[in-house]
Amino acid sequence: MVGRPTASTLFQRGHQVAVLSRGGTAGPAGTEAFQGDLTTGAGLDQALAGVDCVVDCANVATMSRAAAVRYFTDTTTLLGRRAEAAGVKHHVVLSIVGIDKVPQGYFSGKLAQEEAVLGGPVPATVLRATQFHEFAGQVMGQLAVGRFALVPQMVTQPIAAAEVGAALAEVVEDGPRGRVPDIGGPRVERLPDLARQLVRHRGLGRTVVPLWLPGKAGRAMRGSGQLPGPGAVLRGPTFAEWLRDQ
Ligand SMILES: NC(=O)c1ccc[n+]([C@@H]2O[C@H](COP(=O)([O-])OP(=O)(O)OC[C@H]3O[C@@H](n4cnc5c(N)ncnc54)[C@H](OP(=O)(O)O)[C@@H]3O)[C@@H](O)[C@H]2O)c1
C-alpha cells in the first residue's frame, strides 16, 4: 500500500530504487524488483548491493502480540545486520501514531520494531503516521460476514498513503534523525463513517456494522489514542477529497 508510492516518489526525485518483496512483484515504473524474504534473509544481499538507504514498509497481518513482536523484531534486526554489512548508511522504519497509547498486539510489534531499528547497527529514522485513507478498505476486506462489513469503532485522523510515501522520500533525503515528528491527515474521522463513504462511492452494496471493541484498547481506539499530538505535521487531502479523486 505505502511501499509503492514511496518507491515512485523516490524515483521521480531522481533516486535509483530497488524494490524487495517475497513475490518479487514489479514495482512502479523505473524501479528494479528483487525477490527476497526479510524473515529468512533470502535475496537480501543482492537487493542491498550498492544501496545507501533502506526504507522498511513490510507488513504482517496479525493481531497476535507474540507473532507481531517476533515478526517485527526479527525482520528489522536481520535487515539492520545485512544492511550494515552492505554499507547502508540509513535505515528508515514507518511506524504508527498511538502505538504507545493503544494496548493491542500488532502495536506491541511496532513498538518492538522501533526499538530494534533505533538500537540497531545502522543510523536510523522512525516516522509514525496515522492510518492511511486506504485503511478503511483494508479493514472492510478483512472483517466481512456475507454482505456485512464489520468495522471497528475507531477515531482516526487518516492520511493518503501517497502523502506518506512523499514524507518517507523527504525522510530519506534528510538522512538519519532518530524519531521525527509524526504525520497525519487534516481531519478527525470515525472509521465506520469512512467505510460507509467508501461503500457509497464504489457502489459496493455492503452494510457497515460498527464493531465495539472491548477493554482498554477499544476505549483508547474510540478516544484520542490514535490521534496525532500537537507537534505533528498534518498534510494531504481529507478522506472525502481523496475519495473524489479515486
Ligand atoms: N495501513 C495503515 O493504515 C498504516 C498506517 C501507518 C503505518 N503503517 C505501516 O506501514 C507499513 C506498510 O503497511 P502497508 O499497509 O503498506 O502493508 P502492505 O500493503 O501489506 O504491504 C506490505 C509489503 O511488504 C511485503 N512483505 C511482507 N512480508 C515480507 C517479507 N517477509 N519479506 C519481504 N517483503 C515482505 C509485501 O509483499 P509480499 O507479500 O510479496 O512479500 C508487501 O509488498 C507497515 O509497517 C505498517 O505498520 C500502516
Side-chain angles (χ1 to χ4, degrees):
M1 191 64 77
V2 75
R4 190 166 275 274
T6 305
S8 67
T9 308
L10 282 165
F11 175 72
Q12 283 157 21
R13 291 168 79 120
H15 301 280
Q16 272 185 281
V17 185
V19 176
L20 177 94
S21 66
R22 287 167 305 175
T25 321
T31 66
E32 190 179 355
F34 288 84
Q35 189 165 27
D37 190 336
L38 294 174
T39 61
T40 63
L44 271 189
D45 294 342
Q46 292 89 322
L48 288 171
V51 165
D52 296 314
C53 176
V54 165
V55 186
D56 188 349
C57 295
N59 199 18
V60 65
T62 184
M63 292 305 282
S64 150
R65 176 164 285 116
V69 169
R70 189 169 56 244
Y71 175 86
F72 283 114
T73 306
D74 292 356
T75 56
T76 306
T77 305
L78 181 63
L79 181 56
R81 284 201 196 115
R82 296 289 186 89
E84 182 195 30
V88 172
K89 296 173 194 69
H90 187 190
H91 187 166
V92 178
V93 156
L94 176 62
S95 192
I96 307 180
V97 169
I99 56 174
D100 44 359
K101 301 207 177 78
V102 181
Q104 54 119 316
Y106 179 82
F107 284 1
S108 299
K110 296 299 291 182
L111 279 170
Q113 183 182 32
E114 290 188 355
E115 203 177 309
V117 76
L118 292 172
V122 178
T125 304
V126 169
L127 173 69
R128 288 186 183 179
T130 56
Q131 283 66 43
F132 307 151
H133 287 334
E134 290 82 349
F135 182 67
Q138 285 179 316
V139 170
M140 282 178 61
Q142 281 162 9
L143 297 172
V145 182
R147 58 184 286 271
F148 298 102
L150 309 180
V151 178
Q153 278 285 14
M154 180 199 288
V155 174
T156 175
Q157 195 162 330
I159 180 169
E163 205 64 42
V164 179
L168 282 169
E170 291 158 20
V171 161
V172 167
E173 291 171 353
D174 287 345
R177 296 272 163 104
R179 172 98 186 270
V180 292
D182 299 349
I183 58 169
R187 263 187 68 168
V188 177
E189 313 266 11
R190 288 175 195 281
L191 194 58
D193 295 342
L194 303 182
R196 289 192 186 100
Q197 287 182 52
L198 199 62
V199 167
R200 271 199 303 277
H201 183 81
R202 298 200 177 145
L204 296 177
R206 305 268 286 279
T207 303
V208 173
V209 180
L211 190 61
W212 199 263
L213 294 176
K216 262 193 192 168
R219 273 197 302 282
M221 283 165 71
R222 289 188 293 278
S224 58
Q226 284 174 253
L227 296 181
V233 177
L234 307 181
R235 55 191 285 176
T238 64
F239 183 82
E241 289 163 352
W242 169 84
L243 196 55
R244 255 199 318 271
D245 290 343
Q246 295 300 295

